[in-house]
Amino acid sequence: MLALARQTVRSSWRGYLGAFVALLFGVVLIAVTTTLIGSVDATSNLPGVTADQRTQLDDLAAMFGMMSAVSAFMALFVVGSTFGFVVASRRRELGLLRLVGATPRQVRRLLLGESTVVAAAATTVGCLLGTMLAPAVLDLVRTIGITTLHLEAPSPWIAWVVAAPAGAVVALLGVWRSARRASRITPSAALREAAVERTRPSIVQLAVAIVCFGGLVTAIVLAADLPPLFALVASILLPEVVVIGLLSIGPAVIPRLAALLARPFVDRDVAARLARDEVRGAVRTTAAVAAPVMAISAIAGSLLLSLSFTADWTTAQDRSRLRAPLVVEAGSPGATAAVAADPTVAVADVRRQVTLQRDEDGRPGSPDEVEIVDLATASTARSLTATRGSIDDLRGPSVAVTTTWVTDAGIGLGGTVAFWIDGDRVPLRVVAVVPDAPDLYGELLIPAGLVPPTTDGPVFVVPHGDASATRDSLRRTLAGTDSRILDASAWIDATAAQTRQANNVGFTVLLGPAGLYAAIAIVNATLIGASQRRRQRELVQLLGASPDQVRRAAIWQAGLVCGTALLLGGATTAVLGWLVRRAITADLAAVPMTIPWLPLLAIGVVCLLLTVSATAAGLSSRK
Amino acid sequence: MNQAAVTLDGLTRTYRSRAGSVHALRGVTHVVQRGTFTAIMGPSGSGKSTLLQLAAGLDRPTSGRVTIGDTRLDKLNETALTRFRRTSMAFVFQSYNLLDSLTAFDNVALPARLAGRRADRAGVLAALAHVGLRDQARRRPSELSGGQQQRVAIARAVYGRPDVLFADEPTGALDRGTGRDVLELLRSLTQGGQSVVMVTHDPLAASFADGVLFLADGQIVGHLARADAGQIAAAMNELER
């Protein structure tokens, strides 16, 4: 069967080009990600890397891991849908094979053999390309400011060992369903010009859809009880679940929705009518072109919206807690002391942090940022109060923790957290749970005196009288120290802007490769779809359609399919955005809402442009 | 030895759709003898192609049964049916049904290879020579004319020496001269004891057969033995009136 597979791949390489490109890109991506994770690991083991830098590297590795998971998801279903296309376009040929005596198993093996040929080629080229690209990507990571460290490239075989089998597994999983479907093609398929495409989902597909949407409904029901950060994590994972659900019933839903979208136009333009009928008839093509658009718009949209809402939430937390009207960002070590000594200043509450190692099985483990608070000043300037327990008990070997930390770590009021301080294991009792305010204090707060602070942050200043008089006085006191004196509100705005900028970097890293993948997939699916419609197009032309009408119909079709996919992706984004918003407002009432319209619209416009231009390219290349 | 090559026993086939049920066949009973050439004729929608597909086991009847030689097709599952089809039946259709990726030689050898046998080179070339395409063995379908492609399909059918060859409008897309060659080829098979069942709407093509079966509204409505094209055309006209 492998010899036959080689021959069929050689002759129908156009169909496989898409699968090859999709897989090649997947393998390159996995190879590059592995290199990145490997280099983070290699770098963090170098001597001279501080605990802070190690934390930064750990975060980086986690981010890369998440990126590769999202990318692998995209890879899997793009390869799957491309192979699905190949099978759908070869119904007659496969039916013929059955007619001349191939058993269903032989047809399945043929398809698996073909995918092996394509996977072998794509994996080899992909691994080589990944190795060549790795140094450039490591440079890029530094250039866009994800890390300040120089990342050491690990040995290339690590990437190969991971990427090559991953590519093979993705190809096999991707083709599995198509191969099963192909093996069910009857010999009489060889006798039909075109099969009526099945729109009704199978029992399995229906079950998958029910499970996926069940998960979404559960999340919606629980929305108000979810901690905001959990809602954020859910908004990263749930779009994938929703997309799988939508895709499994895609052929039943997407063409109908697209036809509905076309309704206002069909009476005005015959090209729109042609496009509507084609979208409804060729359900598989419609679903396959819609899939990558829907996936990327749902995943990227939800993440954008959730990150923005989470930033809104932190800002609102900051605003509701910060009582000090002035914030000083001290420019020199002496400046902090000078602020406290200023006669117009009633309270100078300094944000102080230290990195401590958590106890892990009796040994110093992962480092944690711990906030050192002076109760007297912090409760005035940062309204530090407990929601459970009593903040006044924060004396001696004790710790206060935030609500999110409690959910995250599973240790609540009365529990114990042990740290290593000066070579000793020191157990601290959780005496209070405080609300989250990430820019005002960290997740773990200990009283002053347990450990000397290592870093001084901003100083929250409460004046004796008028804030403007204090500002003037401080300006004089701090002249020449390179310090900044800000109104509380301006400081919060600046902090929020920083958070959003960091979010953008994170977003780019998380979804950049997946976005590129989706772009390739969109172009790929559109081009294959266009080549499959060639006969239909020629027939329409034969019946008297002008070249302009044919072109317009194709562009209408692209627009309708892409529009439908964006609508579904948008709906997913809206639902998940609402989920995060609900979790946030349950926690805090007056949270402003920032919807990142520009990036959201940009996603839609880019998808639409890609689909339409790929359609135009498909038309012009086959004139 | 059983002299019946194909036995059709009370075959019915009903297609259900939202618009209602369509009765494509309504109780067809007939026996095709070994070593004979049978043509099936009838107006459009009379059930000719459905009958051929049921007889070849490409579709399952709603009721009734098909027996090829001594084997009842309803007793076989999909894989067993495929294996049986491999050894006992062959097909020639209007659209030539060759795999575009394979050469003429490989197309002819394919059924044997699918059955896990080595294709014997001399046998494949002999089959191609039998249809006059010995020199075109290395060409792909796209490099052959319509008539040549149809002859490759016949060579593929001949090579396996099946008991029954089913043909659906095999000359439909060919010019008169090429069509005649194809029909002569089909006829020559019966001399070796093989049976040919052919669906056609062309009285001239049907005149090559030993017997013509007329179908209308899913039922057999007439039979002619050793008739010429004129007699067949007259019978068809009567049916279509």
mmCIF file with all atom_site columns, all heavy atoms in Angstrom, chain A residues 7 11 92-93 96 98-99 101-102 106 187, chain B residues 58 78 82 85-86 93 95 97 99 101 106 114:
data_model
loop_
_atom_site.group_PDB
_atom_site.id
_atom_site.type_symbol
_atom_site.label_atom_id
_atom_site.label_alt_id
_atom_site.label_comp_id
_atom_site.label_asym_id
_atom_site.label_entity_id
_atom_site.label_seq_id
_atom_site.pdbx_PDB_ins_code
_atom_site.Cartn_x
_atom_site.Cartn_y
_atom_site.Cartn_z
_atom_site.occupancy
_atom_site.B_iso_or_equiv
_atom_site.pdbx_formal_charge
_atom_site.auth_seq_id
_atom_site.auth_comp_id
_atom_site.auth_asym_id
_atom_site.auth_atom_id
_atom_site.pdbx_PDB_model_num
ATOM 1   N N   . GLN A 1 7   ? 2.757   6.837   -5.058  1.00 0.00 ? 7   GLN A N   1
ATOM 2   C CA  . GLN A 1 7   ? 2.327   7.247   -6.392  1.00 0.00 ? 7   GLN A CA  1
ATOM 3   C C   . GLN A 1 7   ? 1.178   8.261   -6.329  1.00 0.00 ? 7   GLN A C   1
ATOM 4   O O   . GLN A 1 7   ? 1.184   9.243   -7.059  1.00 0.00 ? 7   GLN A O   1
ATOM 5   C CB  . GLN A 1 7   ? 1.879   6.022   -7.198  1.00 0.00 ? 7   GLN A CB  1
ATOM 6   C CG  . GLN A 1 7   ? 3.037   5.354   -7.917  1.00 0.00 ? 7   GLN A CG  1
ATOM 7   C CD  . GLN A 1 7   ? 2.592   4.055   -8.547  1.00 0.00 ? 7   GLN A CD  1
ATOM 8   O OE1 . GLN A 1 7   ? 1.954   3.238   -7.883  1.00 0.00 ? 7   GLN A OE1 1
ATOM 9   N NE2 . GLN A 1 7   ? 2.916   3.869   -9.809  1.00 0.00 ? 7   GLN A NE2 1
ATOM 10  N N   . SER A 1 11  ? 1.091   12.211  -7.595  1.00 0.00 ? 11  SER A N   1
ATOM 11  C CA  . SER A 1 11  ? 0.220   12.767  -8.628  1.00 0.00 ? 11  SER A CA  1
ATOM 12  C C   . SER A 1 11  ? -0.781  13.772  -8.075  1.00 0.00 ? 11  SER A C   1
ATOM 13  O O   . SER A 1 11  ? -1.202  14.672  -8.767  1.00 0.00 ? 11  SER A O   1
ATOM 14  C CB  . SER A 1 11  ? -0.509  11.652  -9.366  1.00 0.00 ? 11  SER A CB  1
ATOM 15  O OG  . SER A 1 11  ? -1.536  11.172  -8.560  1.00 0.00 ? 11  SER A OG  1
ATOM 16  N N   . ARG A 1 92  ? -14.392 10.012  -5.528  1.00 0.00 ? 92  ARG A N   1
ATOM 17  C CA  . ARG A 1 92  ? -14.582 9.126   -6.688  1.00 0.00 ? 92  ARG A CA  1
ATOM 18  C C   . ARG A 1 92  ? -13.418 8.158   -6.816  1.00 0.00 ? 92  ARG A C   1
ATOM 19  O O   . ARG A 1 92  ? -13.592 6.974   -7.061  1.00 0.00 ? 92  ARG A O   1
ATOM 20  C CB  . ARG A 1 92  ? -14.694 9.949   -7.966  1.00 0.00 ? 92  ARG A CB  1
ATOM 21  C CG  . ARG A 1 92  ? -16.072 10.500  -8.178  1.00 0.00 ? 92  ARG A CG  1
ATOM 22  C CD  . ARG A 1 92  ? -16.208 11.002  -9.571  1.00 0.00 ? 92  ARG A CD  1
ATOM 23  N NE  . ARG A 1 92  ? -16.205 9.911   -10.539 1.00 0.00 ? 92  ARG A NE  1
ATOM 24  C CZ  . ARG A 1 92  ? -16.151 10.078  -11.850 1.00 0.00 ? 92  ARG A CZ  1
ATOM 25  N NH1 . ARG A 1 92  ? -16.098 11.271  -12.355 1.00 0.00 ? 92  ARG A NH1 1
ATOM 26  N NH2 . ARG A 1 92  ? -16.161 9.048   -12.658 1.00 0.00 ? 92  ARG A NH2 1
ATOM 27  N N   . GLU A 1 93  ? -12.215 8.713   -6.645  1.00 0.00 ? 93  GLU A N   1
ATOM 28  C CA  . GLU A 1 93  ? -11.022 7.877   -6.798  1.00 0.00 ? 93  GLU A CA  1
ATOM 29  C C   . GLU A 1 93  ? -11.005 6.765   -5.746  1.00 0.00 ? 93  GLU A C   1
ATOM 30  O O   . GLU A 1 93  ? -10.712 5.601   -6.049  1.00 0.00 ? 93  GLU A O   1
ATOM 31  C CB  . GLU A 1 93  ? -9.795  8.774   -6.651  1.00 0.00 ? 93  GLU A CB  1
ATOM 32  C CG  . GLU A 1 93  ? -8.489  8.051   -6.850  1.00 0.00 ? 93  GLU A CG  1
ATOM 33  C CD  . GLU A 1 93  ? -7.327  8.864   -6.331  1.00 0.00 ? 93  GLU A CD  1
ATOM 34  O OE1 . GLU A 1 93  ? -7.405  10.113  -6.345  1.00 0.00 ? 93  GLU A OE1 1
ATOM 35  O OE2 . GLU A 1 93  ? -6.343  8.240   -5.909  1.00 0.00 ? 93  GLU A OE2 1
ATOM 36  N N   . LEU A 1 96  ? -13.515 4.211   -6.521  1.00 0.00 ? 96  LEU A N   1
ATOM 37  C CA  . LEU A 1 96  ? -13.014 3.364   -7.605  1.00 0.00 ? 96  LEU A CA  1
ATOM 38  C C   . LEU A 1 96  ? -12.096 2.263   -7.064  1.00 0.00 ? 96  LEU A C   1
ATOM 39  O O   . LEU A 1 96  ? -12.173 1.103   -7.472  1.00 0.00 ? 96  LEU A O   1
ATOM 40  C CB  . LEU A 1 96  ? -12.266 4.240   -8.614  1.00 0.00 ? 96  LEU A CB  1
ATOM 41  C CG  . LEU A 1 96  ? -11.624 3.512   -9.772  1.00 0.00 ? 96  LEU A CG  1
ATOM 42  C CD1 . LEU A 1 96  ? -12.669 2.770   -10.574 1.00 0.00 ? 96  LEU A CD1 1
ATOM 43  C CD2 . LEU A 1 96  ? -10.891 4.494   -10.672 1.00 0.00 ? 96  LEU A CD2 1
ATOM 44  N N   . ARG A 1 98  ? -12.270 1.007   -4.172  1.00 0.00 ? 98  ARG A N   1
ATOM 45  C CA  . ARG A 1 98  ? -13.148 0.017   -3.538  1.00 0.00 ? 98  ARG A CA  1
ATOM 46  C C   . ARG A 1 98  ? -13.785 -0.869  -4.607  1.00 0.00 ? 98  ARG A C   1
ATOM 47  O O   . ARG A 1 98  ? -13.922 -2.068  -4.436  1.00 0.00 ? 98  ARG A O   1
ATOM 48  C CB  . ARG A 1 98  ? -14.239 0.735   -2.726  1.00 0.00 ? 98  ARG A CB  1
ATOM 49  C CG  . ARG A 1 98  ? -13.736 1.499   -1.528  1.00 0.00 ? 98  ARG A CG  1
ATOM 50  C CD  . ARG A 1 98  ? -13.571 0.614   -0.303  1.00 0.00 ? 98  ARG A CD  1
ATOM 51  N NE  . ARG A 1 98  ? -14.861 0.216   0.235   1.00 0.00 ? 98  ARG A NE  1
ATOM 52  C CZ  . ARG A 1 98  ? -15.343 -1.011  0.175   1.00 0.00 ? 98  ARG A CZ  1
ATOM 53  N NH1 . ARG A 1 98  ? -14.651 -1.963  -0.395  1.00 0.00 ? 98  ARG A NH1 1
ATOM 54  N NH2 . ARG A 1 98  ? -16.513 -1.295  0.695   1.00 0.00 ? 98  ARG A NH2 1
ATOM 55  N N   . LEU A 1 99  ? -14.146 -0.236  -5.736  1.00 0.00 ? 99  LEU A N   1
ATOM 56  C CA  . LEU A 1 99  ? -14.803 -0.960  -6.820  1.00 0.00 ? 99  LEU A CA  1
ATOM 57  C C   . LEU A 1 99  ? -13.891 -2.041  -7.399  1.00 0.00 ? 99  LEU A C   1
ATOM 58  O O   . LEU A 1 99  ? -14.339 -3.143  -7.699  1.00 0.00 ? 99  LEU A O   1
ATOM 59  C CB  . LEU A 1 99  ? -15.178 0.047   -7.921  1.00 0.00 ? 99  LEU A CB  1
ATOM 60  C CG  . LEU A 1 99  ? -16.067 -0.455  -9.034  1.00 0.00 ? 99  LEU A CG  1
ATOM 61  C CD1 . LEU A 1 99  ? -17.468 -0.702  -8.496  1.00 0.00 ? 99  LEU A CD1 1
ATOM 62  C CD2 . LEU A 1 99  ? -16.148 0.574   -10.153 1.00 0.00 ? 99  LEU A CD2 1
ATOM 63  N N   . GLY A 1 101 ? -11.634 -3.578  -5.875  1.00 0.00 ? 101 GLY A N   1
ATOM 64  C CA  . GLY A 1 101 ? -11.295 -4.637  -4.938  1.00 0.00 ? 101 GLY A CA  1
ATOM 65  C C   . GLY A 1 101 ? -10.545 -4.249  -3.677  1.00 0.00 ? 101 GLY A C   1
ATOM 66  O O   . GLY A 1 101 ? -10.085 -5.123  -2.950  1.00 0.00 ? 101 GLY A O   1
ATOM 67  N N   . ALA A 1 102 ? -10.419 -2.942  -3.394  1.00 0.00 ? 102 ALA A N   1
ATOM 68  C CA  . ALA A 1 102 ? -9.748  -2.572  -2.149  1.00 0.00 ? 102 ALA A CA  1
ATOM 69  C C   . ALA A 1 102 ? -10.746 -2.713  -0.996  1.00 0.00 ? 102 ALA A C   1
ATOM 70  O O   . ALA A 1 102 ? -11.884 -2.264  -1.110  1.00 0.00 ? 102 ALA A O   1
ATOM 71  C CB  . ALA A 1 102 ? -9.246  -1.138  -2.229  1.00 0.00 ? 102 ALA A CB  1
ATOM 72  N N   . GLN A 1 106 ? -7.909  -1.524  3.505   1.00 0.00 ? 106 GLN A N   1
ATOM 73  C CA  . GLN A 1 106 ? -6.841  -1.129  2.577   1.00 0.00 ? 106 GLN A CA  1
ATOM 74  C C   . GLN A 1 106 ? -6.927  0.360   2.245   1.00 0.00 ? 106 GLN A C   1
ATOM 75  O O   . GLN A 1 106 ? -5.904  1.026   2.136   1.00 0.00 ? 106 GLN A O   1
ATOM 76  C CB  . GLN A 1 106 ? -6.927  -1.965  1.301   1.00 0.00 ? 106 GLN A CB  1
ATOM 77  C CG  . GLN A 1 106 ? -6.349  -3.362  1.468   1.00 0.00 ? 106 GLN A CG  1
ATOM 78  C CD  . GLN A 1 106 ? -6.480  -4.194  0.206   1.00 0.00 ? 106 GLN A CD  1
ATOM 79  O OE1 . GLN A 1 106 ? -7.538  -4.222  -0.399  1.00 0.00 ? 106 GLN A OE1 1
ATOM 80  N NE2 . GLN A 1 106 ? -5.421  -4.875  -0.170  1.00 0.00 ? 106 GLN A NE2 1
ATOM 81  N N   . PRO A 1 187 ? -18.225 1.529   -2.939  1.00 0.00 ? 187 PRO A N   1
ATOM 82  C CA  . PRO A 1 187 ? -17.766 1.427   -4.326  1.00 0.00 ? 187 PRO A CA  1
ATOM 83  C C   . PRO A 1 187 ? -18.623 2.259   -5.275  1.00 0.00 ? 187 PRO A C   1
ATOM 84  O O   . PRO A 1 187 ? -18.130 2.767   -6.274  1.00 0.00 ? 187 PRO A O   1
ATOM 85  C CB  . PRO A 1 187 ? -17.915 -0.055  -4.652  1.00 0.00 ? 187 PRO A CB  1
ATOM 86  C CG  . PRO A 1 187 ? -17.931 -0.740  -3.345  1.00 0.00 ? 187 PRO A CG  1
ATOM 87  C CD  . PRO A 1 187 ? -18.517 0.215   -2.369  1.00 0.00 ? 187 PRO A CD  1
ATOM 88  N N   . LEU B 2 58  ? -22.997 -3.550  -5.395  1.00 0.00 ? 58  LEU B N   1
ATOM 89  C CA  . LEU B 2 58  ? -22.525 -2.195  -5.067  1.00 0.00 ? 58  LEU B CA  1
ATOM 90  C C   . LEU B 2 58  ? -23.543 -1.492  -4.177  1.00 0.00 ? 58  LEU B C   1
ATOM 91  O O   . LEU B 2 58  ? -23.247 -0.497  -3.545  1.00 0.00 ? 58  LEU B O   1
ATOM 92  C CB  . LEU B 2 58  ? -22.310 -1.373  -6.344  1.00 0.00 ? 58  LEU B CB  1
ATOM 93  C CG  . LEU B 2 58  ? -21.273 -1.924  -7.313  1.00 0.00 ? 58  LEU B CG  1
ATOM 94  C CD1 . LEU B 2 58  ? -21.210 -1.078  -8.571  1.00 0.00 ? 58  LEU B CD1 1
ATOM 95  C CD2 . LEU B 2 58  ? -19.910 -1.984  -6.643  1.00 0.00 ? 58  LEU B CD2 1
ATOM 96  N N   . GLU B 2 78  ? -19.155 -6.359  4.358   1.00 0.00 ? 78  GLU B N   1
ATOM 97  C CA  . GLU B 2 78  ? -18.528 -5.445  3.397   1.00 0.00 ? 78  GLU B CA  1
ATOM 98  C C   . GLU B 2 78  ? -17.163 -5.964  2.921   1.00 0.00 ? 78  GLU B C   1
ATOM 99  O O   . GLU B 2 78  ? -16.867 -5.968  1.723   1.00 0.00 ? 78  GLU B O   1
ATOM 100 C CB  . GLU B 2 78  ? -18.391 -4.063  4.061   1.00 0.00 ? 78  GLU B CB  1
ATOM 101 C CG  . GLU B 2 78  ? -18.169 -2.904  3.114   1.00 0.00 ? 78  GLU B CG  1
ATOM 102 C CD  . GLU B 2 78  ? -19.182 -2.823  1.967   1.00 0.00 ? 78  GLU B CD  1
ATOM 103 O OE1 . GLU B 2 78  ? -20.378 -3.030  2.202   1.00 0.00 ? 78  GLU B OE1 1
ATOM 104 O OE2 . GLU B 2 78  ? -18.750 -2.578  0.823   1.00 0.00 ? 78  GLU B OE2 1
ATOM 105 N N   . THR B 2 82  ? -16.188 -7.369  -0.758  1.00 0.00 ? 82  THR B N   1
ATOM 106 C CA  . THR B 2 82  ? -15.102 -6.782  -1.546  1.00 0.00 ? 82  THR B CA  1
ATOM 107 C C   . THR B 2 82  ? -14.192 -7.888  -2.087  1.00 0.00 ? 82  THR B C   1
ATOM 108 O O   . THR B 2 82  ? -13.820 -7.888  -3.257  1.00 0.00 ? 82  THR B O   1
ATOM 109 C CB  . THR B 2 82  ? -14.279 -5.813  -0.672  1.00 0.00 ? 82  THR B CB  1
ATOM 110 O OG1 . THR B 2 82  ? -15.158 -4.849  -0.144  1.00 0.00 ? 82  THR B OG1 1
ATOM 111 C CG2 . THR B 2 82  ? -13.200 -5.125  -1.470  1.00 0.00 ? 82  THR B CG2 1
ATOM 112 N N   . ARG B 2 85  ? -15.907 -9.711  -4.788  1.00 0.00 ? 85  ARG B N   1
ATOM 113 C CA  . ARG B 2 85  ? -16.000 -8.881  -5.994  1.00 0.00 ? 85  ARG B CA  1
ATOM 114 C C   . ARG B 2 85  ? -14.679 -8.914  -6.759  1.00 0.00 ? 85  ARG B C   1
ATOM 115 O O   . ARG B 2 85  ? -14.643 -8.978  -7.971  1.00 0.00 ? 85  ARG B O   1
ATOM 116 C CB  . ARG B 2 85  ? -16.343 -7.453  -5.561  1.00 0.00 ? 85  ARG B CB  1
ATOM 117 C CG  . ARG B 2 85  ? -17.059 -6.661  -6.647  1.00 0.00 ? 85  ARG B CG  1
ATOM 118 C CD  . ARG B 2 85  ? -17.279 -5.235  -6.218  1.00 0.00 ? 85  ARG B CD  1
ATOM 119 N NE  . ARG B 2 85  ? -18.337 -5.086  -5.255  1.00 0.00 ? 85  ARG B NE  1
ATOM 120 C CZ  . ARG B 2 85  ? -18.203 -4.435  -4.101  1.00 0.00 ? 85  ARG B CZ  1
ATOM 121 N NH1 . ARG B 2 85  ? -17.057 -3.900  -3.754  1.00 0.00 ? 85  ARG B NH1 1
ATOM 122 N NH2 . ARG B 2 85  ? -19.209 -4.341  -3.281  1.00 0.00 ? 85  ARG B NH2 1
ATOM 123 N N   . ARG B 2 86  ? -13.577 -8.860  -5.983  1.00 0.00 ? 86  ARG B N   1
ATOM 124 C CA  . ARG B 2 86  ? -12.240 -8.894  -6.565  1.00 0.00 ? 86  ARG B CA  1
ATOM 125 C C   . ARG B 2 86  ? -12.041 -10.080 -7.505  1.00 0.00 ? 86  ARG B C   1
ATOM 126 O O   . ARG B 2 86  ? -11.481 -9.965  -8.575  1.00 0.00 ? 86  ARG B O   1
ATOM 127 C CB  . ARG B 2 86  ? -11.252 -9.093  -5.415  1.00 0.00 ? 86  ARG B CB  1
ATOM 128 C CG  . ARG B 2 86  ? -10.331 -7.987  -5.150  1.00 0.00 ? 86  ARG B CG  1
ATOM 129 C CD  . ARG B 2 86  ? -9.447  -8.482  -4.034  1.00 0.00 ? 86  ARG B CD  1
ATOM 130 N NE  . ARG B 2 86  ? -9.196  -7.458  -3.053  1.00 0.00 ? 86  ARG B NE  1
ATOM 131 C CZ  . ARG B 2 86  ? -8.727  -7.718  -1.829  1.00 0.00 ? 86  ARG B CZ  1
ATOM 132 N NH1 . ARG B 2 86  ? -8.542  -8.953  -1.433  1.00 0.00 ? 86  ARG B NH1 1
ATOM 133 N NH2 . ARG B 2 86  ? -8.477  -6.742  -1.018  1.00 0.00 ? 86  ARG B NH2 1
ATOM 134 N N   . PHE B 2 93  ? -17.378 1.249   -16.923 1.00 0.00 ? 93  PHE B N   1
ATOM 135 C CA  . PHE B 2 93  ? -18.429 2.272   -16.892 1.00 0.00 ? 93  PHE B CA  1
ATOM 136 C C   . PHE B 2 93  ? -18.213 3.328   -17.957 1.00 0.00 ? 93  PHE B C   1
ATOM 137 O O   . PHE B 2 93  ? -17.153 3.414   -18.569 1.00 0.00 ? 93  PHE B O   1
ATOM 138 C CB  . PHE B 2 93  ? -18.468 2.931   -15.513 1.00 0.00 ? 93  PHE B CB  1
ATOM 139 C CG  . PHE B 2 93  ? -18.905 1.985   -14.456 1.00 0.00 ? 93  PHE B CG  1
ATOM 140 C CD1 . PHE B 2 93  ? -17.986 1.406   -13.586 1.00 0.00 ? 93  PHE B CD1 1
ATOM 141 C CD2 . PHE B 2 93  ? -20.236 1.636   -14.341 1.00 0.00 ? 93  PHE B CD2 1
ATOM 142 C CE1 . PHE B 2 93  ? -18.387 0.522   -12.632 1.00 0.00 ? 93  PHE B CE1 1
ATOM 143 C CE2 . PHE B 2 93  ? -20.647 0.738   -13.379 1.00 0.00 ? 93  PHE B CE2 1
ATOM 144 C CZ  . PHE B 2 93  ? -19.726 0.171   -12.516 1.00 0.00 ? 93  PHE B CZ  1
ATOM 145 N N   . SER B 2 95  ? -17.844 6.641   -17.671 1.00 0.00 ? 95  SER B N   1
ATOM 146 C CA  . SER B 2 95  ? -16.644 7.430   -17.385 1.00 0.00 ? 95  SER B CA  1
ATOM 147 C C   . SER B 2 95  ? -15.607 6.395   -16.971 1.00 0.00 ? 95  SER B C   1
ATOM 148 O O   . SER B 2 95  ? -15.870 5.549   -16.156 1.00 0.00 ? 95  SER B O   1
ATOM 149 C CB  . SER B 2 95  ? -16.921 8.410   -16.257 1.00 0.00 ? 95  SER B CB  1
ATOM 150 O OG  . SER B 2 95  ? -17.478 7.723   -15.173 1.00 0.00 ? 95  SER B OG  1
ATOM 151 N N   . ASN B 2 97  ? -13.171 5.539   -15.297 1.00 0.00 ? 97  ASN B N   1
ATOM 152 C CA  . ASN B 2 97  ? -12.831 4.995   -13.984 1.00 0.00 ? 97  ASN B CA  1
ATOM 153 C C   . ASN B 2 97  ? -11.446 4.395   -13.877 1.00 0.00 ? 97  ASN B C   1
ATOM 154 O O   . ASN B 2 97  ? -11.264 3.277   -13.402 1.00 0.00 ? 97  ASN B O   1
ATOM 155 C CB  . ASN B 2 97  ? -13.874 3.964   -13.547 1.00 0.00 ? 97  ASN B CB  1
ATOM 156 C CG  . ASN B 2 97  ? -15.141 4.647   -13.096 1.00 0.00 ? 97  ASN B CG  1
ATOM 157 O OD1 . ASN B 2 97  ? -15.094 5.507   -12.233 1.00 0.00 ? 97  ASN B OD1 1
ATOM 158 N ND2 . ASN B 2 97  ? -16.245 4.321   -13.717 1.00 0.00 ? 97  ASN B ND2 1
ATOM 159 N N   . LEU B 2 99  ? -7.516  5.201   -12.361 1.00 0.00 ? 99  LEU B N   1
ATOM 160 C CA  . LEU B 2 99  ? -6.830  6.069   -11.395 1.00 0.00 ? 99  LEU B CA  1
ATOM 161 C C   . LEU B 2 99  ? -5.825  6.933   -12.151 1.00 0.00 ? 99  LEU B C   1
ATOM 162 O O   . LEU B 2 99  ? -4.925  6.404   -12.816 1.00 0.00 ? 99  LEU B O   1
ATOM 163 C CB  . LEU B 2 99  ? -6.113  5.231   -10.346 1.00 0.00 ? 99  LEU B CB  1
ATOM 164 C CG  . LEU B 2 99  ? -7.008  4.643   -9.268  1.00 0.00 ? 99  LEU B CG  1
ATOM 165 C CD1 . LEU B 2 99  ? -6.256  3.605   -8.472  1.00 0.00 ? 99  LEU B CD1 1
ATOM 166 C CD2 . LEU B 2 99  ? -7.530  5.722   -8.357  1.00 0.00 ? 99  LEU B CD2 1
ATOM 167 N N   . SER B 2 101 ? -3.404  8.622   -11.250 1.00 0.00 ? 101 SER B N   1
ATOM 168 C CA  . SER B 2 101 ? -2.001  8.625   -10.822 1.00 0.00 ? 101 SER B CA  1
ATOM 169 C C   . SER B 2 101 ? -1.238  7.401   -11.319 1.00 0.00 ? 101 SER B C   1
ATOM 170 O O   . SER B 2 101 ? -0.023  7.343   -11.215 1.00 0.00 ? 101 SER B O   1
ATOM 171 C CB  . SER B 2 101 ? -1.939  8.690   -9.298  1.00 0.00 ? 101 SER B CB  1
ATOM 172 O OG  . SER B 2 101 ? -2.719  7.654   -8.756  1.00 0.00 ? 101 SER B OG  1
ATOM 173 N N   . ASP B 2 106 ? -0.223  -0.184  -14.478 1.00 0.00 ? 106 ASP B N   1
ATOM 174 C CA  . ASP B 2 106 ? -0.536  -0.247  -13.047 1.00 0.00 ? 106 ASP B CA  1
ATOM 175 C C   . ASP B 2 106 ? -2.037  -0.292  -12.796 1.00 0.00 ? 106 ASP B C   1
ATOM 176 O O   . ASP B 2 106 ? -2.498  -0.919  -11.839 1.00 0.00 ? 106 ASP B O   1
ATOM 177 C CB  . ASP B 2 106 ? 0.091   0.945   -12.320 1.00 0.00 ? 106 ASP B CB  1
ATOM 178 C CG  . ASP B 2 106 ? 1.601   0.792   -12.208 1.00 0.00 ? 106 ASP B CG  1
ATOM 179 O OD1 . ASP B 2 106 ? 2.071   -0.362  -12.196 1.00 0.00 ? 106 ASP B OD1 1
ATOM 180 O OD2 . ASP B 2 106 ? 2.306   1.815   -12.157 1.00 0.00 ? 106 ASP B OD2 1
ATOM 181 N N   . LEU B 2 114 ? -4.175  -5.385  -5.042  1.00 0.00 ? 114 LEU B N   1
ATOM 182 C CA  . LEU B 2 114 ? -5.041  -5.183  -3.878  1.00 0.00 ? 114 LEU B CA  1
ATOM 183 C C   . LEU B 2 114 ? -5.369  -6.519  -3.217  1.00 0.00 ? 114 LEU B C   1
ATOM 184 O O   . LEU B 2 114 ? -5.564  -6.602  -2.004  1.00 0.00 ? 114 LEU B O   1
ATOM 185 C CB  . LEU B 2 114 ? -6.336  -4.481  -4.283  1.00 0.00 ? 114 LEU B CB  1
ATOM 186 C CG  . LEU B 2 114 ? -6.197  -2.995  -4.610  1.00 0.00 ? 114 LEU B CG  1
ATOM 187 C CD1 . LEU B 2 114 ? -7.483  -2.463  -5.219  1.00 0.00 ? 114 LEU B CD1 1
ATOM 188 C CD2 . LEU B 2 114 ? -5.852  -2.195  -3.364  1.00 0.00 ? 114 LEU B CD2 1
#
